[in-house]
Amino acid sequence: MNVATVRRPMGCLKAIMRQTRHQRASARCLATAAAADAKPKSVFNARQRAWKEKVGKFEIWPQVPSVRTSHPDPLPALRQQQISELDPTGARTRLFSREHADSAKVGDVVMVTTRTGEPFAGVFIQMRRRGVDTAIQLRGQLMRTGVELWFKIYSPTVTGIDIIWRRPKRARRARLTYMRKPKHDKGSVEHLVTAWKKERFALSTKAKAKTSQAFGKLRKK
């Protein structure tokens, strides 16, 4: 007797296998839940539990307090002492301070006088605040060539720092490095230096005239 084989579509077999898998997964979940209710399983194995018990016998000493709790950092006081020795009047500190409104800002034209060479005038591009090593960068022209120089404001070789021209509007950036481009380059500032010298000479002449008149009146009396 020939028995015809029953052929089922693959979809039915997949559905039966899927149902079997779900039944096995639910049975495992129930067995795990029952075991957890009976006795909670430890997260550590036997070796880890033995190591934990061994380490737990040691006494843990409290953390040693930091030295800064009893002895503060001496560097800020040392920096302030050096600055007070190099700038006893505090004029340089006030000239480049952030709190004072009349201090120099980026974008101003500043002239620095040194002992070793001629005064250099240029646009105040940026400032590097490093305590005693605080320095400013000026961009000017020498022989029609753009030049940038750094000057340390507390250096003994720097004899004078003067603000030649103030920028009308405050700059939005702390570093005006974009002025290196030809589009924004200010170029030579000799005309501003010349006008500043003439104004200073006129003011000094007036002051001398007033002083001489005052002395003349005293002599007449």
Side-chain angles (χ1 to χ4, degrees):
M1 183 176 178
N2 297 330
V3 179
T5 58
V6 180
R7 295 183 178 181
R8 293 183 178 181
M10 293 296 294
C12 296
L13 294 175
K14 289 182 178 180
I16 294 171
M17 294 175 67
R18 189 183 302 109
Q19 187 177 3
T20 305
R21 287 196 302 269
H22 287 319
Q23 290 176 358
R24 291 178 179 176
S26 61
R28 285 197 300 269
C29 292
L30 292 173
T32 305
D37 294 338
K39 183 180 180 180
K41 187 177 180 182
S42 177
V43 181
F44 305 100
N45 54 21
R47 184 179 178 182
Q48 292 175 346
R49 286 196 299 271
W51 175 256
K52 189 176 180 181
E53 293 176 359
K54 183 179 179 181
V55 173
K57 296 179 181 178
F58 293 95
E59 184 177 359
I60 300 176
W61 293 91
Q63 187 178 1
V64 179
S66 176
V67 182
R68 296 302 179 211
T69 56
S70 56
H71 298 80
D73 190 7
L75 288 179
L78 180 61
R79 294 194 192 99
Q80 189 63 32
Q81 181 182 358
Q82 292 176 348
I83 290 174
S84 60
E85 290 178 359
L86 295 173
D87 185 24
T89 60
R92 301 283 177 87
T93 306
R94 181 183 176 85
L95 185 60
F96 296 97
S97 176
R98 294 175 179 174
E99 288 78 15
H100 299 87
D102 56 345
S103 60
K105 304 292 190 302
V106 288
D108 299 345
V109 177
V110 179
M111 185 176 66
V112 179
T113 307
T114 59
R115 297 177 183 175
T116 57
E118 296 181 357
F120 181 81
V123 184
F124 181 17
I125 292 180
Q126 60 179 328
M127 185 174 185
R128 182 180 61 201
R129 297 183 184 275
R130 297 291 185 276
V132 184
D133 296 330
T134 301
I136 58 174
Q137 187 179 21
L138 305 181
R139 178 175 177 82
Q141 277 193 357
L142 291 176
M143 300 179 66
R144 297 183 181 180
T145 304
V147 179
E148 294 181 3
L149 296 178
W150 282 94
F151 295 97
K152 292 186 177 181
I153 63 174
Y154 297 114
S155 176
T157 58
V158 176
T159 58
I161 301 176
D162 299 309
I163 301 176
I164 305 300
W165 177 80
R166 291 186 179 273
R167 184 181 176 127
K169 190 176 181 181
R170 183 179 179 182
R172 296 184 178 180
R173 301 183 183 181
R175 297 178 178 86
L176 306 183
T177 52
Y178 64 86
M179 299 189 70
R180 297 169 181 170
K181 299 180 180 179
K183 179 180 178 181
H184 304 284
D185 192 3
K186 197 172 184 62
S188 178
V189 294
E190 289 297 329
H191 60 288
L192 297 175
V193 176
T194 304
W196 176 77
K197 287 182 179 179
K198 288 182 179 179
E199 183 179 0
R200 190 175 182 181
F201 178 75
L203 292 175
S204 63
T205 305
K206 290 181 180 179
K208 289 179 180 178
K210 290 181 180 179
T211 305
S212 61
Q213 289 178 2
F215 275 113
K217 289 180 180 180
L218 290 173
R219 289 177 180 177
K220 289 180 180 179
K221 290 181 180 180

